Amino acid sequence: MKKLIFITLLMSLCITLVDAQVVEPEKVVKKQGTRRANNKIERGVDKGFDKLEEGIGSLFGKKKKKKKKAANEEPKNTSDKKEDSNRNDGNNSNERVEKQVAKKPDVVWNKFDFVPGDVVLFEDGPAVTEENGEFPSRWDLKDGNIEIAQVDGENVIYSIEHGTIVPYLKNAKEDYLPEIFTIEFDAFFGTGYSGRYFISFFDAKNQRCNNNDRLYVYVNSLTLGSSSTNYPGKSKGNWDAVGGWRHISIAFTKGKMKAYMDDTRLINIPHYEANPTGLTIQMEKYASSDYEKYIKNIRIAKGGVKYYDRVLQDGKIICNGIRFDVNKASLKPESMGPINKIYELLQKQPDLNFSVEGHTDSDGDDASNKSLSEARAKVVMEKLIQMGISSNRLSYAGFGESKPLDNNSTPEGKANNRRVEFVKVEGIAASAKPNTSGNSIFDSLDRKAIDTKMESLPNGNIPVSNQSGILLKNGTTIIYGTSDGYLGKMEVLDVDESDNYRLTVRYVTYNDDGSVHSKSDHLEIGGTYTCDLDEGSTGDMTRSEEDFWLGRPDAKTTTIVQRENTGFYVVPN
């Protein structure tokens, strides 16, 4: 009789469990209080089922109690595998990626901290006025053969045969490099055997060597003394390399030497023992070989005061290291060094507000220069907003050539006049145009509005990119329900194709009473990483904490994959 009662109770419980599983996920997401209650009920039922299972095992003597699985252990039965497969859009490779990601450490590395000097001491493009086939007028020849050539419509310095050059300066025999300086140039590498560039920190024609090591510039690596590093993901070898232009940046600060290739620091020597006094550039090129050697955009600049100190002293920061394509408002990659420093300053000083102001040299007409400077200032402002700076802290303006800092008769003077200034203001400057690029949809949503919108929107996984490119546009607003039962909103700030489709968002997660549970103006989720929007954390975490992860079935396809008991909804513009 006792057995009959026990079996009847067991069957009743199983029916209850089956009924509990038919609740529609979308309704569970939309009714947050109900889901939190259901989660508690399900945890209680699981414990009760374990007890019943243990009792059945002892009753019939045929089944031992199973060991509790670790939080990160993968399911072994076929139904669990099927559930995982469906969640990852039927691609089992996502499951394998997830296993690998769970063990990956959360590494923070500032790989590009280069900030160009404030005052340009020497600059050569070469200028458009240089005559093709002539020796470059701003340089002196040490040996070899060097001439001006044109590549893709731009003048360049061309090494015909193993050429070595030094800047043509009146004070070339003196130490013309200050205690803090930067050197930049663009170097071209051909395919096949690409050859090397040798950078010496003294004038080989006019000065003594003074034990300075040479910087060896390879197609994908840099070497200085005993320090040598490859560009991430590339091999050091110069054979069978994919060539093209490389931007080389060198920073010397009172004995500390750093060197960069494109967007990554490769050399970092804390105590460079020799004293840099000048510059020599040697290009490995022989007349009998078919690989080419060109350089352009060479600049030597004197370093300056830290950004925060400049604001305190002058009320503004002058940056001529923020670069753009010729006659365009498109940022060059090397501009991110100064922009990152401005971003860090704004993050550390929440009461600091800037008017971003563009300036040009005198080339071109006044009206075009004013429009160009305004467009460039706006691009810089929008980049900072995209990175997470609140739009009400920034404005922009353009002054063209009307406020020169230097003369416009020399390349160095023009370089000093082409600049972006960050002028301290109280709120938005009256003389500047206010930002209108903020996402009003994101800003207008509170918890109540989010709950209402969820009733009319479909939820599901959200495509980020595919073979044709990035699909999730900057400024897109997404609303969500989290694994802990909260509602929230996030805005897409950036999808970085060059960094494994890293997703940067700003987000707010609300408590049930409408107060803020957690928020961030700049949250980065690395490709294939998980994210918890209850706490604003990414990386390794237990499955129950995850709200979504960036699924990657192949190299170019990325998807925001929602977890169990969560929901994600794209809000139309």
Side-chain angles (χ1 to χ4, degrees):
M1 183 66 180
K2 290 182 179 180
K3 289 183 179 179
L4 180 61
I5 293 172
F6 177 79
I7 292 170
T8 302
L9 288 172
L10 178 60
M11 292 175 64
S12 176
L13 179 58
C14 291
I15 292 170
T16 302
L17 286 172
V18 170
D19 289 341
Q21 291 175 348
V22 299
V23 178
E24 296 180 24
E26 289 177 302
K27 292 182 179 178
V28 172
V29 170
K30 294 175 183 176
K31 305 298 181 182
Q32 299 300 306
T34 303
R35 186 172 71 243
R36 288 195 295 276
N38 286 348
N39 288 344
K40 292 180 180 178
I41 292 171
E42 288 171 5
R43 287 194 291 271
V45 168
D46 287 342
K47 292 180 180 178
F49 192 80
D50 287 343
K51 293 288 186 182
L52 283 173
E53 186 181 56
E54 183 179 356
I56 291 172
S58 61
L59 181 66
F60 294 101
K62 293 182 179 179
K63 189 174 184 181
K64 295 181 180 180
K65 181 180 178 181
K66 294 182 180 178
K67 293 182 180 179
K68 185 176 284 188
K69 295 180 180 179
N72 62 350
E73 185 176 343
E74 290 294 311
K76 298 293 175 65
N77 60 61
T78 55
S79 62
D80 283 344
K81 289 180 179 178
K82 182 178 180 181
E83 181 183 357
D84 280 353
S85 176
N86 290 337
R87 185 175 58 252
N88 292 322
D89 297 325
N91 195 316
N92 290 331
S93 65
N94 283 352
E95 186 177 344
R96 291 193 296 272
V97 170
E98 185 180 0
K99 292 178 185 178
Q100 297 170 358
V101 168
K103 297 180 181 179
K104 187 176 180 179
D106 186 11
V107 178
V108 177
W109 174 46
N110 187 2
K111 66 179 183 177
F112 189 70
D113 58 353
F114 177 79
V115 177
D118 317 288
V119 180
V120 178
L121 303 177
F122 176 85
E123 173 155 305
D124 189 33
V128 294
T129 54
E130 293 276 15
E131 189 172 342
N132 196 318
E134 293 295 329
F135 185 85
S137 62
R138 309 217 71 221
W139 296 84
D140 200 359
L141 182 68
K142 170 66 169 61
D143 54 48
N145 194 356
I146 297 285
E147 291 182 359
I148 294 291
Q150 195 172 81
V151 174
D152 295 330
E154 286 187 281
N155 277 354
V156 300
I157 297 174
Y158 172 36
S159 176
I160 299 174
E161 185 171 1
H162 211 66
T164 304
I165 52 175
V166 296
Y168 186 59
L169 301 171
K170 292 181 179 179
N171 61 337
K173 293 183 179 181
E174 302 172 8
D175 179 352
Y176 55 83
L177 294 181
E179 283 188 321
I180 302 174
F181 68 84
T182 59
I183 296 173
E184 296 176 81
F185 62 93
D186 293 322
F188 183 83
F189 292 88
T191 56
Y193 180 71
S194 54
R196 298 166 293 179
Y197 295 84
F198 309 103
I199 309 302
S200 298
F201 300 106
F202 74 101
D203 187 311
K205 185 172 182 178
N206 301 290
Q207 299 172 352
R208 299 182 63 179
C209 176
N210 197 21
N211 297 320
N212 275 284
D213 290 319
R214 291 197 300 182
L215 175 69
Y216 290 76
V217 181
Y218 298 86
V219 62
N220 291 318
S221 66
L222 298 177
T223 297
L224 180 61
S226 59
S227 181
S228 182
T229 308
N230 299 343
Y231 189 87
K234 303 290 186 180
S235 60
K236 180 180 178 180
N238 256 20
W239 290 96
D240 299 324
V242 177
W245 289 101
R246 304 286 189 270
H247 186 75
I248 307 301
S249 310
I250 301 160
F252 182 85
T253 306
K254 296 181 179 179
K256 177 180 286 188
M257 179 76 78
K258 297 181 179 181
Y260 309 75
M261 177 175 285
D262 291 336
D263 61 352
T264 303
R265 182 180 56 254
L266 300 185
I267 301 292
N268 191 349
I269 299 176
H271 303 290
Y272 185 72
E273 296 180 358
N275 174 36
T277 58
L279 174 66
T280 301
I281 299 177
Q282 184 178 19
M283 295 178 272
E284 186 181 51
K285 173 68 169 69
Y286 298 96
S288 58
S289 63
D290 58 359
Y291 57 87
E292 305 298 343
K293 280 289 170 291
Y294 316 118
I295 59 171
K296 63 179 181 180
N297 300 327
I298 307 96
R299 172 182 285 190
I300 304 173
K302 182 179 179 180
V305 183
K306 290 183 179 179
Y307 280 179
Y308 184 59
D309 292 338
R310 293 188 217 175
V311 171
L312 293 179
Q313 292 173 13
D314 306 323
K316 63 182 178 181
I317 299 167
I318 299 173
C319 291
N320 52 29
I322 297 178
R323 313 280 172 72
F324 304 87
D325 292 327
V326 178
N327 294 325
K328 295 180 181 179
S330 49
L331 283 167
K332 287 189 173 183
E334 57 263 31
S335 300
M336 288 312 300
I339 290 175
N340 284 335
K341 291 295 183 183
I342 295 292
Y343 167 77
E344 291 171 6
L345 177 61
L346 287 167
Q347 286 285 84
K348 292 176 182 177
Q349 306 293 330
D351 295 329
L352 185 61
N353 306 305
F354 281 138
S355 168
V356 185
E357 301 179 358
H359 301 266
T360 69
D361 58 32
S362 61
D363 292 347
D365 63 83
D366 293 356
S368 297
N369 284 337
K370 189 176 188 307
S371 297
L372 180 62
S373 64
E374 189 175 280
R376 288 175 170 177
K378 183 180 180 183
V379 165
V380 174
M381 180 196 71
E382 289 178 339
K383 184 64 178 178
L384 288 165
I385 293 172
Q386 186 185 88
M387 293 169 71
I389 301 301
S390 177
S391 60
N392 61 8
R393 299 177 63 188
L394 299 169
S395 60
Y396 72 94
F399 296 97
E401 61 187 80
S402 64
K403 295 184 177 183
L405 288 180
D406 206 337
N407 66 75
N408 280 296
S409 59
T410 66
E412 291 77 22
K414 289 181 179 181
N416 287 322
N417 289 332
R418 294 190 299 268
R419 67 195 188 277
V420 176
E421 295 187 0
F422 297 85
V423 181
K424 182 182 177 182
V425 294
E426 298 299 329
I428 293 192
S431 62
K433 294 186 177 181
N435 165 52
T436 57
S437 65
N439 190 331
S440 59
I441 297 176
F442 177 90
D443 295 331
S444 66
L445 291 172
D446 57 13
R447 188 197 179 283
K448 183 177 180 181
I450 292 170
D451 198 10
T452 301
K453 279 190 174 294
M454 282 183 174
E455 297 291 341
S456 60
L457 296 174
N459 77 318
N461 300 337
I462 300 173
V464 176
S465 64
N466 62 18
Q467 300 297 321
S468 63
I470 295 173
L471 304 175
L472 192 60
K473 303 301 182 184
N474 295 348
T476 301
T477 296
I478 299 169
I479 56 178
Y480 55 82
T482 74
S483 58
D484 285 349
Y486 299 106
L487 299 182
K489 61 182 180 180
M490 68 179 178
E491 178 187 358
V492 177
L493 300 178
D494 186 45
V495 178
D496 191 346
E497 182 179 3
S498 65
D499 191 6
N500 206 23
Y501 293 91
R502 183 184 71 246
L503 177 65
T504 303
V505 302
R506 63 169 171 154
Y507 83 96
V508 181
T509 299
Y510 294 100
N511 294 314
D512 293 341
D513 62 2
S515 61
V516 174
H517 179 76
S518 66
K519 66 177 292 187
S520 173
D521 287 334
H522 186 84
L523 178 65
E524 295 184 0
I525 306 99
T528 73
Y529 269 62
T530 56
C531 181
D532 175 15
L533 291 168
D534 293 303
E535 303 299 332
S537 59
T538 66
D540 295 342
M541 61 190 71
T542 61
R543 184 64 173 267
S544 61
E545 295 172 336
E546 298 171 2
D547 291 318
F548 73 89
W549 77 298
L550 291 180
R552 295 292 303 282
D554 58 58
K556 293 188 176 182
T557 303
T558 310
T559 304
I560 294 176
V561 181
Q562 61 184 23
R563 292 306 203 185
E564 298 90 345
N565 293 328
T566 68
F568 286 79
Y569 311 73
V570 176
V571 180
N573 293 327

